[in-house]
Amino acid sequence: MIHVTAAESDAIRVIEAEEISTRFARGWHCLGLSDGFKDGKPHTINAFGQKLVVFQGEDGKINVLDAYCRHMGGDLSQGTVKGNELACPFHDWRWGGDGRCKQIPYSRRVPLRARTAAWQTADQDGMLFVWNDPEGNPPPPEVMVPKIPGATRDDWTDWVWNKTVVHTNVREVIDNVVDMAHFFYIHHSFPTFFKNVFEGHVATQVMNGKSRPDTARPASSNAPVLTGNSSVASYYGPSFMIDDLTYHYEGFDLESVLINCHYPIDENSFVLMSGIIAQRSDKLPGDAADQMAKTMSKFILSGFDQDVEIWKHKARIDNPLLCEEDGPVYQLRRWYEQFYVDVADIDPEMTARFEHELDTTRPVESWQREVEENIARREKAASS
């Protein structure tokens, strides 16, 4: 038994928050749908505390370079794609996707050290990924984001994609992996099962839930009745989550894949994106599945807005005071730390398998009472 003195219990808990590091996470980061970069023009991306330029050459490969020309500092994102090279708008120096200057039209030769930073990219499942590593090492094959079968199949919809800028540190997004309670209070869902598994570079959240009847919007007469959902959501590295999300309706299940991903602009802001595809079926053929995916996307986007509103006003806290039902916040942050240290400094505890199933008995009983009280209060007000 742990004995706590009166002086200890009366002590004020002080919020601790270290200065945010300007180091950005090692890993694959999604910059958005790849088709948006395939128009033969250079595109500006502000990421990892600097300005980048994205362009596709005639060979079809999408390239990412530092945006400023090493000659006289011209902005390459204002330049022109010429063949497989990006021409600087200032003096027409031609830069290849490998970061080397390929030619200078007015010069007999290219200086030996004419090289800029080039970022390794991957065009996969309709999304563009870029590899970031402060140490400059190439990505190990085993950390590549897994392919999503539905993204390339005709019996699934196309991606419905959203993007927004959030002005806070990216760690706030990651904390949601273990935060069961906020789903009830912020997103108006009702978790009934919640489990986390961390291992290697993957952090997984398994959750079953149902809608809160006291906050659910009235369904139209011809709309299918939603009874619950099942979710297996995994972060593959520091910034890209794949959620195999099943919505349970009366008479059928809707299979979908939700992407929740982000990349840092700087240490105090990031681009938050979501993408969703849904599987077509005899219950949801063709256009019906497309419309459902759009509806689901709006719902997911509203959930992001709810999170952002909290993040805008909350304090950063390194020593959160937790109760028994709060989930493994510290263990998640220990897992997350592996992406912010040199590879040689990764502690085995950061990558060792950790598994925790949260006991939902108390939360479910409490939330059920709250829902019933809210419904009774609303019915009483309506009848008076």
Side-chain angles (χ1 to χ4, degrees), residues 312-332:
K312 281 167 54 178
H313 302 285
K314 73 177 292 295
R316 179 181 174 87
I317 181 167
D318 293 341
N319 62 331
L321 181 61
L322 305 178
C323 66
E324 190 174 339
E325 287 78 15
D326 272 333
V329 175
Y330 287 101
Q331 290 86 348
L332 174 70

mmCIF file with all atom_site columns, all heavy atoms in Angstrom, residues 312-332:
data_model
loop_
_atom_site.group_PDB
_atom_site.id
_atom_site.type_symbol
_atom_site.label_atom_id
_atom_site.label_alt_id
_atom_site.label_comp_id
_atom_site.label_asym_id
_atom_site.label_entity_id
_atom_site.label_seq_id
_atom_site.pdbx_PDB_ins_code
_atom_site.Cartn_x
_atom_site.Cartn_y
_atom_site.Cartn_z
_atom_site.occupancy
_atom_site.B_iso_or_equiv
_atom_site.pdbx_formal_charge
_atom_site.auth_seq_id
_atom_site.auth_comp_id
_atom_site.auth_asym_id
_atom_site.auth_atom_id
_atom_site.pdbx_PDB_model_num
ATOM 1   N N   . LYS A 1 312 ? -5.971  24.337 -30.046 1.00 0.00 ? 312 LYS A N   1
ATOM 2   C CA  . LYS A 1 312 ? -5.760  25.782 -30.136 1.00 0.00 ? 312 LYS A CA  1
ATOM 3   C C   . LYS A 1 312 ? -5.658  26.422 -28.760 1.00 0.00 ? 312 LYS A C   1
ATOM 4   O O   . LYS A 1 312 ? -4.996  27.454 -28.591 1.00 0.00 ? 312 LYS A O   1
ATOM 5   C CB  . LYS A 1 312 ? -6.898  26.444 -30.927 1.00 0.00 ? 312 LYS A CB  1
ATOM 6   C CG  . LYS A 1 312 ? -6.780  26.309 -32.427 1.00 0.00 ? 312 LYS A CG  1
ATOM 7   C CD  . LYS A 1 312 ? -8.069  26.693 -33.116 1.00 0.00 ? 312 LYS A CD  1
ATOM 8   C CE  . LYS A 1 312 ? -8.572  28.064 -32.741 1.00 0.00 ? 312 LYS A CE  1
ATOM 9   N NZ  . LYS A 1 312 ? -9.823  28.417 -33.473 1.00 0.00 ? 312 LYS A NZ  1
ATOM 10  N N   . HIS A 1 313 ? -6.320  25.832 -27.767 1.00 0.00 ? 313 HIS A N   1
ATOM 11  C CA  . HIS A 1 313 ? -6.437  26.490 -26.465 1.00 0.00 ? 313 HIS A CA  1
ATOM 12  C C   . HIS A 1 313 ? -5.734  25.739 -25.330 1.00 0.00 ? 313 HIS A C   1
ATOM 13  O O   . HIS A 1 313 ? -5.590  26.291 -24.243 1.00 0.00 ? 313 HIS A O   1
ATOM 14  C CB  . HIS A 1 313 ? -7.912  26.661 -26.108 1.00 0.00 ? 313 HIS A CB  1
ATOM 15  C CG  . HIS A 1 313 ? -8.686  27.458 -27.111 1.00 0.00 ? 313 HIS A CG  1
ATOM 16  N ND1 . HIS A 1 313 ? -8.588  28.832 -27.218 1.00 0.00 ? 313 HIS A ND1 1
ATOM 17  C CD2 . HIS A 1 313 ? -9.561  27.073 -28.080 1.00 0.00 ? 313 HIS A CD2 1
ATOM 18  C CE1 . HIS A 1 313 ? -9.374  29.268 -28.192 1.00 0.00 ? 313 HIS A CE1 1
ATOM 19  N NE2 . HIS A 1 313 ? -9.971  28.219 -28.737 1.00 0.00 ? 313 HIS A NE2 1
ATOM 20  N N   . LYS A 1 314 ? -5.311  24.503 -25.551 1.00 0.00 ? 314 LYS A N   1
ATOM 21  C CA  . LYS A 1 314 ? -4.712  23.725 -24.476 1.00 0.00 ? 314 LYS A CA  1
ATOM 22  C C   . LYS A 1 314 ? -3.242  24.083 -24.271 1.00 0.00 ? 314 LYS A C   1
ATOM 23  O O   . LYS A 1 314 ? -2.606  24.696 -25.130 1.00 0.00 ? 314 LYS A O   1
ATOM 24  C CB  . LYS A 1 314 ? -4.846  22.217 -24.756 1.00 0.00 ? 314 LYS A CB  1
ATOM 25  C CG  . LYS A 1 314 ? -3.919  21.706 -25.846 1.00 0.00 ? 314 LYS A CG  1
ATOM 26  C CD  . LYS A 1 314 ? -4.047  20.195 -26.041 1.00 0.00 ? 314 LYS A CD  1
ATOM 27  C CE  . LYS A 1 314 ? -3.539  19.411 -24.859 1.00 0.00 ? 314 LYS A CE  1
ATOM 28  N NZ  . LYS A 1 314 ? -2.081  19.570 -24.629 1.00 0.00 ? 314 LYS A NZ  1
ATOM 29  N N   . ALA A 1 315 ? -2.705  23.666 -23.119 1.00 0.00 ? 315 ALA A N   1
ATOM 30  C CA  . ALA A 1 315 ? -1.284  23.836 -22.838 1.00 0.00 ? 315 ALA A CA  1
ATOM 31  C C   . ALA A 1 315 ? -0.535  22.580 -23.237 1.00 0.00 ? 315 ALA A C   1
ATOM 32  O O   . ALA A 1 315 ? -1.053  21.463 -23.141 1.00 0.00 ? 315 ALA A O   1
ATOM 33  C CB  . ALA A 1 315 ? -1.075  24.105 -21.352 1.00 0.00 ? 315 ALA A CB  1
ATOM 34  N N   . ARG A 1 316 ? 0.696   22.753 -23.686 1.00 0.00 ? 316 ARG A N   1
ATOM 35  C CA  . ARG A 1 316 ? 1.571   21.606 -23.893 1.00 0.00 ? 316 ARG A CA  1
ATOM 36  C C   . ARG A 1 316 ? 1.969   21.090 -22.510 1.00 0.00 ? 316 ARG A C   1
ATOM 37  O O   . ARG A 1 316 ? 2.355   21.881 -21.640 1.00 0.00 ? 316 ARG A O   1
ATOM 38  C CB  . ARG A 1 316 ? 2.805   22.006 -24.697 1.00 0.00 ? 316 ARG A CB  1
ATOM 39  C CG  . ARG A 1 316 ? 3.787   20.850 -24.939 1.00 0.00 ? 316 ARG A CG  1
ATOM 40  C CD  . ARG A 1 316 ? 5.003   21.323 -25.714 1.00 0.00 ? 316 ARG A CD  1
ATOM 41  N NE  . ARG A 1 316 ? 6.027   20.289 -25.843 1.00 0.00 ? 316 ARG A NE  1
ATOM 42  C CZ  . ARG A 1 316 ? 6.074   19.380 -26.803 1.00 0.00 ? 316 ARG A CZ  1
ATOM 43  N NH1 . ARG A 1 316 ? 5.137   19.381 -27.744 1.00 0.00 ? 316 ARG A NH1 1
ATOM 44  N NH2 . ARG A 1 316 ? 7.045   18.483 -26.851 1.00 0.00 ? 316 ARG A NH2 1
ATOM 45  N N   . ILE A 1 317 ? 1.893   19.791 -22.308 1.00 0.00 ? 317 ILE A N   1
ATOM 46  C CA  . ILE A 1 317 ? 2.181   19.233 -20.990 1.00 0.00 ? 317 ILE A CA  1
ATOM 47  C C   . ILE A 1 317 ? 2.994   17.950 -21.141 1.00 0.00 ? 317 ILE A C   1
ATOM 48  O O   . ILE A 1 317 ? 2.572   17.000 -21.802 1.00 0.00 ? 317 ILE A O   1
ATOM 49  C CB  . ILE A 1 317 ? 0.881   19.011 -20.176 1.00 0.00 ? 317 ILE A CB  1
ATOM 50  C CG1 . ILE A 1 317 ? 1.195   18.445 -18.796 1.00 0.00 ? 317 ILE A CG1 1
ATOM 51  C CG2 . ILE A 1 317 ? -0.126  18.161 -20.922 1.00 0.00 ? 317 ILE A CG2 1
ATOM 52  C CD1 . ILE A 1 317 ? 0.010   18.503 -17.847 1.00 0.00 ? 317 ILE A CD1 1
ATOM 53  N N   . ASP A 1 318 ? 4.195   17.961 -20.526 1.00 0.00 ? 318 ASP A N   1
ATOM 54  C CA  . ASP A 1 318 ? 5.080   16.802 -20.596 1.00 0.00 ? 318 ASP A CA  1
ATOM 55  C C   . ASP A 1 318 ? 4.843   15.822 -19.456 1.00 0.00 ? 318 ASP A C   1
ATOM 56  O O   . ASP A 1 318 ? 5.288   14.675 -19.517 1.00 0.00 ? 318 ASP A O   1
ATOM 57  C CB  . ASP A 1 318 ? 6.546   17.250 -20.569 1.00 0.00 ? 318 ASP A CB  1
ATOM 58  C CG  . ASP A 1 318 ? 6.953   18.020 -21.812 1.00 0.00 ? 318 ASP A CG  1
ATOM 59  O OD1 . ASP A 1 318 ? 6.243   17.909 -22.838 1.00 0.00 ? 318 ASP A OD1 1
ATOM 60  O OD2 . ASP A 1 318 ? 7.970   18.736 -21.770 1.00 0.00 ? 318 ASP A OD2 1
ATOM 61  N N   . ASN A 1 319 ? 4.172   16.270 -18.401 1.00 0.00 ? 319 ASN A N   1
ATOM 62  C CA  . ASN A 1 319 ? 3.918   15.415 -17.235 1.00 0.00 ? 319 ASN A CA  1
ATOM 63  C C   . ASN A 1 319 ? 2.427   15.311 -16.945 1.00 0.00 ? 319 ASN A C   1
ATOM 64  O O   . ASN A 1 319 ? 1.956   15.710 -15.880 1.00 0.00 ? 319 ASN A O   1
ATOM 65  C CB  . ASN A 1 319 ? 4.666   15.941 -16.011 1.00 0.00 ? 319 ASN A CB  1
ATOM 66  C CG  . ASN A 1 319 ? 4.211   17.344 -15.598 1.00 0.00 ? 319 ASN A CG  1
ATOM 67  O OD1 . ASN A 1 319 ? 3.771   18.133 -16.441 1.00 0.00 ? 319 ASN A OD1 1
ATOM 68  N ND2 . ASN A 1 319 ? 4.290   17.644 -14.312 1.00 0.00 ? 319 ASN A ND2 1
ATOM 69  N N   . PRO A 1 320 ? 1.636   14.814 -17.891 1.00 0.00 ? 320 PRO A N   1
ATOM 70  C CA  . PRO A 1 320 ? 0.188   14.752 -17.668 1.00 0.00 ? 320 PRO A CA  1
ATOM 71  C C   . PRO A 1 320 ? -0.157  13.936 -16.426 1.00 0.00 ? 320 PRO A C   1
ATOM 72  O O   . PRO A 1 320 ? 0.460   12.894 -16.159 1.00 0.00 ? 320 PRO A O   1
ATOM 73  C CB  . PRO A 1 320 ? -0.336  14.083 -18.934 1.00 0.00 ? 320 PRO A CB  1
ATOM 74  C CG  . PRO A 1 320 ? 0.836   13.338 -19.504 1.00 0.00 ? 320 PRO A CG  1
ATOM 75  C CD  . PRO A 1 320 ? 2.031   14.168 -19.159 1.00 0.00 ? 320 PRO A CD  1
ATOM 76  N N   . LEU A 1 321 ? -1.106  14.425 -15.655 1.00 0.00 ? 321 LEU A N   1
ATOM 77  C CA  . LEU A 1 321 ? -1.595  13.733 -14.465 1.00 0.00 ? 321 LEU A CA  1
ATOM 78  C C   . LEU A 1 321 ? -2.700  12.784 -14.906 1.00 0.00 ? 321 LEU A C   1
ATOM 79  O O   . LEU A 1 321 ? -3.728  13.217 -15.407 1.00 0.00 ? 321 LEU A O   1
ATOM 80  C CB  . LEU A 1 321 ? -2.121  14.756 -13.462 1.00 0.00 ? 321 LEU A CB  1
ATOM 81  C CG  . LEU A 1 321 ? -2.648  14.242 -12.130 1.00 0.00 ? 321 LEU A CG  1
ATOM 82  C CD1 . LEU A 1 321 ? -1.560  13.511 -11.363 1.00 0.00 ? 321 LEU A CD1 1
ATOM 83  C CD2 . LEU A 1 321 ? -3.214  15.392 -11.307 1.00 0.00 ? 321 LEU A CD2 1
ATOM 84  N N   . LEU A 1 322 ? -2.493  11.484 -14.742 1.00 0.00 ? 322 LEU A N   1
ATOM 85  C CA  . LEU A 1 322 ? -3.378  10.488 -15.335 1.00 0.00 ? 322 LEU A CA  1
ATOM 86  C C   . LEU A 1 322 ? -4.157  9.723  -14.277 1.00 0.00 ? 322 LEU A C   1
ATOM 87  O O   . LEU A 1 322 ? -3.681  9.524  -13.153 1.00 0.00 ? 322 LEU A O   1
ATOM 88  C CB  . LEU A 1 322 ? -2.570  9.491  -16.172 1.00 0.00 ? 322 LEU A CB  1
ATOM 89  C CG  . LEU A 1 322 ? -1.673  10.084 -17.270 1.00 0.00 ? 322 LEU A CG  1
ATOM 90  C CD1 . LEU A 1 322 ? -0.900  8.971  -17.962 1.00 0.00 ? 322 LEU A CD1 1
ATOM 91  C CD2 . LEU A 1 322 ? -2.503  10.872 -18.271 1.00 0.00 ? 322 LEU A CD2 1
ATOM 92  N N   . CYS A 1 323 ? -5.341  9.274  -14.658 1.00 0.00 ? 323 CYS A N   1
ATOM 93  C CA  . CYS A 1 323 ? -6.114  8.363  -13.828 1.00 0.00 ? 323 CYS A CA  1
ATOM 94  C C   . CYS A 1 323 ? -6.017  6.959  -14.437 1.00 0.00 ? 323 CYS A C   1
ATOM 95  O O   . CYS A 1 323 ? -5.456  6.764  -15.515 1.00 0.00 ? 323 CYS A O   1
ATOM 96  C CB  . CYS A 1 323 ? -7.566  8.806  -13.703 1.00 0.00 ? 323 CYS A CB  1
ATOM 97  S SG  . CYS A 1 323 ? -8.509  8.737  -15.249 1.00 0.00 ? 323 CYS A SG  1
ATOM 98  N N   . GLU A 1 324 ? -6.588  6.001  -13.757 1.00 0.00 ? 324 GLU A N   1
ATOM 99  C CA  . GLU A 1 324 ? -6.431  4.597  -14.140 1.00 0.00 ? 324 GLU A CA  1
ATOM 100 C C   . GLU A 1 324 ? -6.958  4.298  -15.533 1.00 0.00 ? 324 GLU A C   1
ATOM 101 O O   . GLU A 1 324 ? -6.447  3.426  -16.236 1.00 0.00 ? 324 GLU A O   1
ATOM 102 C CB  . GLU A 1 324 ? -7.150  3.729  -13.106 1.00 0.00 ? 324 GLU A CB  1
ATOM 103 C CG  . GLU A 1 324 ? -6.891  2.246  -13.224 1.00 0.00 ? 324 GLU A CG  1
ATOM 104 C CD  . GLU A 1 324 ? -7.524  1.463  -12.085 1.00 0.00 ? 324 GLU A CD  1
ATOM 105 O OE1 . GLU A 1 324 ? -7.806  2.072  -11.038 1.00 0.00 ? 324 GLU A OE1 1
ATOM 106 O OE2 . GLU A 1 324 ? -7.745  0.245  -12.256 1.00 0.00 ? 324 GLU A OE2 1
ATOM 107 N N   . GLU A 1 325 ? -7.992  5.022  -15.961 1.00 0.00 ? 325 GLU A N   1
ATOM 108 C CA  . GLU A 1 325 ? -8.635  4.743  -17.249 1.00 0.00 ? 325 GLU A CA  1
ATOM 109 C C   . GLU A 1 325 ? -8.120  5.614  -18.394 1.00 0.00 ? 325 GLU A C   1
ATOM 110 O O   . GLU A 1 325 ? -8.742  5.677  -19.452 1.00 0.00 ? 325 GLU A O   1
ATOM 111 C CB  . GLU A 1 325 ? -10.151 4.919  -17.110 1.00 0.00 ? 325 GLU A CB  1
ATOM 112 C CG  . GLU A 1 325 ? -10.858 3.825  -16.326 1.00 0.00 ? 325 GLU A CG  1
ATOM 113 C CD  . GLU A 1 325 ? -10.688 3.979  -14.813 1.00 0.00 ? 325 GLU A CD  1
ATOM 114 O OE1 . GLU A 1 325 ? -10.276 5.069  -14.359 1.00 0.00 ? 325 GLU A OE1 1
ATOM 115 O OE2 . GLU A 1 325 ? -10.971 3.004  -14.097 1.00 0.00 ? 325 GLU A OE2 1
ATOM 116 N N   . ASP A 1 326 ? -7.004  6.288  -18.190 1.00 0.00 ? 326 ASP A N   1
ATOM 117 C CA  . ASP A 1 326 ? -6.523  7.223  -19.206 1.00 0.00 ? 326 ASP A CA  1
ATOM 118 C C   . ASP A 1 326 ? -5.669  6.597  -20.301 1.00 0.00 ? 326 ASP A C   1
ATOM 119 O O   . ASP A 1 326 ? -5.424  7.224  -21.317 1.00 0.00 ? 326 ASP A O   1
ATOM 120 C CB  . ASP A 1 326 ? -5.728  8.357  -18.548 1.00 0.00 ? 326 ASP A CB  1
ATOM 121 C CG  . ASP A 1 326 ? -6.620  9.504  -18.122 1.00 0.00 ? 326 ASP A CG  1
ATOM 122 O OD1 . ASP A 1 326 ? -7.682  9.684  -18.743 1.00 0.00 ? 326 ASP A OD1 1
ATOM 123 O OD2 . ASP A 1 326 ? -6.259  10.207 -17.162 1.00 0.00 ? 326 ASP A OD2 1
ATOM 124 N N   . GLY A 1 327 ? -5.197  5.404  -20.137 1.00 0.00 ? 327 GLY A N   1
ATOM 125 C CA  . GLY A 1 327 ? -4.410  4.785  -21.196 1.00 0.00 ? 327 GLY A CA  1
ATOM 126 C C   . GLY A 1 327 ? -2.926  5.065  -21.065 1.00 0.00 ? 327 GLY A C   1
ATOM 127 O O   . GLY A 1 327 ? -2.487  5.922  -20.295 1.00 0.00 ? 327 GLY A O   1
ATOM 128 N N   . PRO A 1 328 ? -2.107  4.373  -21.852 1.00 0.00 ? 328 PRO A N   1
ATOM 129 C CA  . PRO A 1 328 ? -0.643  4.414  -21.725 1.00 0.00 ? 328 PRO A CA  1
ATOM 130 C C   . PRO A 1 328 ? 0.001   5.609  -22.427 1.00 0.00 ? 328 PRO A C   1
ATOM 131 O O   . PRO A 1 328 ? 0.723   5.469  -23.421 1.00 0.00 ? 328 PRO A O   1
ATOM 132 C CB  . PRO A 1 328 ? -0.202  3.092  -22.351 1.00 0.00 ? 328 PRO A CB  1
ATOM 133 C CG  . PRO A 1 328 ? -1.240  2.810  -23.396 1.00 0.00 ? 328 PRO A CG  1
ATOM 134 C CD  . PRO A 1 328 ? -2.535  3.342  -22.837 1.00 0.00 ? 328 PRO A CD  1
ATOM 135 N N   . VAL A 1 329 ? -0.255  6.816  -21.922 1.00 0.00 ? 329 VAL A N   1
ATOM 136 C CA  . VAL A 1 329 ? 0.270   8.031  -22.546 1.00 0.00 ? 329 VAL A CA  1
ATOM 137 C C   . VAL A 1 329 ? 1.795   8.042  -22.525 1.00 0.00 ? 329 VAL A C   1
ATOM 138 O O   . VAL A 1 329 ? 2.455   8.323  -23.541 1.00 0.00 ? 329 VAL A O   1
ATOM 139 C CB  . VAL A 1 329 ? -0.284  9.286  -21.837 1.00 0.00 ? 329 VAL A CB  1
ATOM 140 C CG1 . VAL A 1 329 ? 0.368   10.549 -22.416 1.00 0.00 ? 329 VAL A CG1 1
ATOM 141 C CG2 . VAL A 1 329 ? -1.796  9.353  -21.965 1.00 0.00 ? 329 VAL A CG2 1
ATOM 142 N N   . TYR A 1 330 ? 2.385   7.730  -21.389 1.00 0.00 ? 330 TYR A N   1
ATOM 143 C CA  . TYR A 1 330 ? 3.844   7.788  -21.272 1.00 0.00 ? 330 TYR A CA  1
ATOM 144 C C   . TYR A 1 330 ? 4.514   6.718  -22.132 1.00 0.00 ? 330 TYR A C   1
ATOM 145 O O   . TYR A 1 330 ? 5.572   6.956  -22.711 1.00 0.00 ? 330 TYR A O   1
ATOM 146 C CB  . TYR A 1 330 ? 4.262   7.655  -19.805 1.00 0.00 ? 330 TYR A CB  1
ATOM 147 C CG  . TYR A 1 330 ? 3.965   8.900  -18.990 1.00 0.00 ? 330 TYR A CG  1
ATOM 148 C CD1 . TYR A 1 330 ? 2.859   8.970  -18.168 1.00 0.00 ? 330 TYR A CD1 1
ATOM 149 C CD2 . TYR A 1 330 ? 4.808   10.008 -19.061 1.00 0.00 ? 330 TYR A CD2 1
ATOM 150 C CE1 . TYR A 1 330 ? 2.579   10.111 -17.430 1.00 0.00 ? 330 TYR A CE1 1
ATOM 151 C CE2 . TYR A 1 330 ? 4.554   11.160 -18.329 1.00 0.00 ? 330 TYR A CE2 1
ATOM 152 C CZ  . TYR A 1 330 ? 3.428   11.211 -17.504 1.00 0.00 ? 330 TYR A CZ  1
ATOM 153 O OH  . TYR A 1 330 ? 3.167   12.341 -16.787 1.00 0.00 ? 330 TYR A OH  1
ATOM 154 N N   . GLN A 1 331 ? 3.904   5.553  -22.219 1.00 0.00 ? 331 GLN A N   1
ATOM 155 C CA  . GLN A 1 331 ? 4.477   4.500  -23.059 1.00 0.00 ? 331 GLN A CA  1
ATOM 156 C C   . GLN A 1 331 ? 4.423   4.876  -24.537 1.00 0.00 ? 331 GLN A C   1
ATOM 157 O O   . GLN A 1 331 ? 5.340   4.588  -25.301 1.00 0.00 ? 331 GLN A O   1
ATOM 158 C CB  . GLN A 1 331 ? 3.737   3.177  -22.827 1.00 0.00 ? 331 GLN A CB  1
ATOM 159 C CG  . GLN A 1 331 ? 3.994   2.552  -21.466 1.00 0.00 ? 331 GLN A CG  1
ATOM 160 C CD  . GLN A 1 331 ? 3.068   3.085  -20.378 1.00 0.00 ? 331 GLN A CD  1
ATOM 161 O OE1 . GLN A 1 331 ? 2.369   4.085  -20.572 1.00 0.00 ? 331 GLN A OE1 1
ATOM 162 N NE2 . GLN A 1 331 ? 3.042   2.412  -19.237 1.00 0.00 ? 331 GLN A NE2 1
ATOM 163 N N   . LEU A 1 332 ? 3.323   5.540  -24.931 1.00 0.00 ? 332 LEU A N   1
ATOM 164 C CA  . LEU A 1 332 ? 3.223   6.003  -26.320 1.00 0.00 ? 332 LEU A CA  1
ATOM 165 C C   . LEU A 1 332 ? 4.291   7.034  -26.626 1.00 0.00 ? 332 LEU A C   1
ATOM 166 O O   . LEU A 1 332 ? 4.942   6.973  -27.681 1.00 0.00 ? 332 LEU A O   1
ATOM 167 C CB  . LEU A 1 332 ? 1.840   6.605  -26.576 1.00 0.00 ? 332 LEU A CB  1
ATOM 168 C CG  . LEU A 1 332 ? 1.679   7.258  -27.958 1.00 0.00 ? 332 LEU A CG  1
ATOM 169 C CD1 . LEU A 1 332 ? 1.654   6.208  -29.058 1.00 0.00 ? 332 LEU A CD1 1
ATOM 170 C CD2 . LEU A 1 332 ? 0.413   8.116  -28.010 1.00 0.00 ? 332 LEU A CD2 1
#
